[in-house]
Amino acid sequence: MTLPLSNSAFSYALHYQDSGAIWRLSSFLLEHIPFHHENLVFCCIGSDRSTGDALGPLIGSLLSNYISFPYRIIGSLEQPLHALNLKETVDSLQEQSIKPFVVAIDACLGEQQRIGEILFQPGPLLPGKAVKKELPPIGDVSIKGIVNFGGFMEHTILQTTRLNVTYEMSNRIARALYLAFHRHSLKNMHNRNYERNH
């Protein structure tokens, strides 16, 4: 669970209920996530014990259900990536022989009028910041979903966040990621066919 930065810090933001949100988000992700990378990893951070903090684990589980999604997914409802195992995971990723490109995904708190926004930013996110936890930064890029408002009683806010909001945002982010990968695959296939024919 992170805190959003100022608007200028984000490359992209849209509300999950916007018209064409999945297609528009997939178009942006297709341009900013290297789906060709040989060690692309999705780290879906959060806890299944809190409705507000379950965005990451939900996305991890949804992506895992896409049999053809070929990338490593860390964090799910069954095996959450959270405060207790985050440092171990970061250390493990840094020790890999092929440097991974990490997409970090987490819920965050923001202003009341921005609840439901999906945010993308270059660079790592700082998990646990919203609830005053000091955890290592993670991610080459990050995707965040504003699930509720912040500023006070963050733990209570997370526990009372509507599951429907968290689930609907998770569903759209997972579908956008899968669509971006699928479009990447089709583009590669088209390019190979073009080269073969010419």
Side-chain angles (χ1 to χ4, degrees), residues 104-142:
I105 304 171
D106 198 5
C108 70
L109 299 175
E111 299 170 0
Q112 177 83 43
Q113 66 270 24
R114 298 188 66 191
I115 293 172
E117 282 190 15
I118 298 166
L119 313 171
F120 179 97
Q121 74 179 65
L125 54 75
L126 295 172
K129 191 174 180 182
V131 288
K132 312 297 188 288
K133 290 182 180 177
E134 290 191 18
L135 297 169
I138 183 171
D140 294 281
V141 296
S142 61

Side-chain angles (χ1 to χ4, degrees), residues 29-148:
L29 297 176
L30 185 57
E31 293 180 10
H32 292 84
I33 294 176
F35 287 97
H36 60 276
H37 197 285
E38 57 186 327
N39 192 11
L40 178 58
V41 180
F42 292 84
C43 288
C44 304
I45 303 155
S47 170
D48 63 332
R49 297 173 182 266
S50 167
T51 53
D53 203 23
L55 182 88
L58 276 166
I59 291 171
S61 290
L62 289 166
L63 288 176
S64 297
N65 288 335
Y66 293 123
I67 297 171
S68 61
F69 195 73
Y71 308 105
R72 184 179 178 198
I73 301 162
I74 303 174
S76 64
L77 291 173
E78 185 178 2
Q79 296 181 311
L81 174 60
H82 46 50
L84 298 180
N85 58 9
L86 185 75
K87 185 180 185 306
E88 175 188 345
T89 300
V90 171
D91 291 344
S92 173
L93 289 170
Q94 291 174 345
E95 292 169 0
Q96 293 183 9
S97 56
I98 300 174
K99 186 181 185 305
F101 187 96
V102 177
V103 179
I105 304 171
D106 198 5
C108 70
L109 299 175
E111 299 170 0
Q112 177 83 43
Q113 66 270 24
R114 298 188 66 191
I115 293 172
E117 282 190 15
I118 298 166
L119 313 171
F120 179 97
Q121 74 179 65
L125 54 75
L126 295 172
K129 191 174 180 182
V131 288
K132 312 297 188 288
K133 290 182 180 177
E134 290 191 18
L135 297 169
I138 183 171
D140 294 281
V141 296
S142 61
I143 300 171
K144 303 178 184 182
I146 301 180
V147 297
N148 215 328

